[in-house]
Amino acid sequence: MQRLLYVNIAEDIKKKIKDGYLNPGDKLPSEIELAKEHRVSRSTLREAIKMLQREGILISKNGIGTYVSENASLIMENFLNNLISIGDLIKSFGFEDTQSHMRVYKAFPQIEWREKLNLREKERVDIVERLREANGLGISYSYHIFPESIAQGYFDENFKGSLIKYLKEVMNIEIGYSLTEICAVEEAENEKVAHYIGKKILLFKQLHFDKKDTPIFYSLDYMNNNVLKFFIRRENAFSS
C-alpha cells in the first residue's frame, strides 16, 4: 500500500509538470505542505521525491529545497515493445526534432558487425552517424551500420529524418522488427557521445531485420537516460 501511495504521488507531480502547474526551475512546496496536500506521511512523500530524483525530474539543493529539473518538461517515456524511430518519438511528445553532426562514411567492419550482418568476405560498411535533438537538447547519438551491398550509395550527408521510413519509401525495404541489447555505458567509454547527450547513457545495440528475416542494418544508439525513459510490460509466466 505504501508503494502505491508514493508512486501515485510521483505521478501526480509529473502531471503537474506536464500541465504547466510546475515549471522547470520551480521550487517545490515544503515536505510538510506536500504531505498535507496528499494526506500521507512525510516518509511516504520522501519516497516519491527520491523516485523523481532518480528519474532526473527533480533535483535537491542541500539546505535550500527541491526543484523541478530544467529538463523535466522534456522527459519522454516509451515502451520497449514498440519499434519507433527517435524522431517520431520526439515529435509524438510535441517537441522539435532536429539533427546535427551528420556524417556518412565507409569503414571496415568490426568483428561484431560482420557477424551480426552476415557480411561477405572483405565487404565494407556504410555508417550513418548523427546526433538527434529535442528542442535543442541532445537525445541520442547513433551509428547506423549498413552493408555496402544494401546501402548502395543511398545515403549522404543531406540525409535526415526516419531511417525506417526512408528504407521503406526510397529503398523499398520494410523493417519488420529489431533485436535489441541494452547496455550501461560509462562516460569514459565514449567521451564524444557524453559531450553531446550527457553522462547518464544507455546503449541500445539494435539489429534490424526485414519481413523476410534478413538483417538490414545494425545500430549503436546512445540514449540520454536523463530524458528518455524506457519501460516494458512483464507477464507472470506461471499465471493460469
Side-chain angles (χ1 to χ4, degrees), residues 155-178:
F155 300 102
D156 60 31
E157 294 186 0
N158 293 315
F159 172 78
K160 61 181 180 180
S162 167
L163 264 179
I164 292 175
K165 288 182 180 177
Y166 184 81
L167 286 166
K168 182 177 180 179
E169 295 171 3
V170 178
M171 299 173 64
N172 199 31
I173 298 173
E174 186 170 2
I175 298 299
Y177 63 96
S178 71

Side-chain angles (χ1 to χ4, degrees), residues 97-111:
D97 169 37
T98 57
Q99 68 178 44
S100 59
H101 303 281
M102 178 72 178
R103 293 179 62 208
V104 177
Y105 52 95
K106 294 186 181 296
F108 290 102
Q110 297 180 11
I111 293 174

Side-chain angles (χ1 to χ4, degrees), residues 44-179:
T44 299
L45 177 71
R46 288 189 190 118
E47 288 300 316
I49 298 298
K50 287 178 184 177
M51 177 180 175
L52 295 174
Q53 288 172 337
R54 288 193 295 269
E55 293 182 11
I57 294 172
L58 298 179
I59 55 173
S60 288
K61 300 179 181 179
N62 290 336
I64 300 177
T66 301
Y67 291 79
V68 179
S69 167
E70 293 297 333
N71 295 331
S73 60
L74 281 170
I75 298 295
M76 288 176 275
E77 299 177 346
N78 183 45
F79 282 89
L80 289 173
N81 51 314
N82 297 324
L83 181 57
I84 181 173
S85 73
I86 290 295
D88 287 341
L89 180 62
I90 291 170
K91 291 173 185 174
S92 73
F93 282 88
F95 304 130
E96 181 185 6
D97 169 37
T98 57
Q99 68 178 44
S100 59
H101 303 281
M102 178 72 178
R103 293 179 62 208
V104 177
Y105 52 95
K106 294 186 181 296
F108 290 102
Q110 297 180 11
I111 293 174
E112 179 187 27
W113 307 351
R114 182 176 296 280
E115 292 174 350
K116 296 283 188 183
L117 294 167
N118 294 331
L119 297 176
R120 300 191 304 263
E121 186 178 357
K122 297 182 180 181
E123 182 176 7
R124 294 192 299 173
V125 294
D126 284 20
I127 300 177
V128 178
E129 176 184 342
R130 60 179 173 167
L131 169 69
R132 302 300 290 273
E133 300 157 314
N135 289 6
L137 178 71
I139 298 298
S140 69
Y141 203 103
S142 299
Y143 299 84
H144 304 296
I145 303 153
F146 287 84
E148 272 187 322
S149 57
I150 290 177
Q152 295 184 27
Y154 273 99
F155 300 102
D156 60 31
E157 294 186 0
N158 293 315
F159 172 78
K160 61 181 180 180
S162 167
L163 264 179
I164 292 175
K165 288 182 180 177
Y166 184 81
L167 286 166
K168 182 177 180 179
E169 295 171 3
V170 178
M171 299 173 64
N172 199 31
I173 298 173
E174 186 170 2
I175 298 299
Y177 63 96
S178 71
L179 296 179

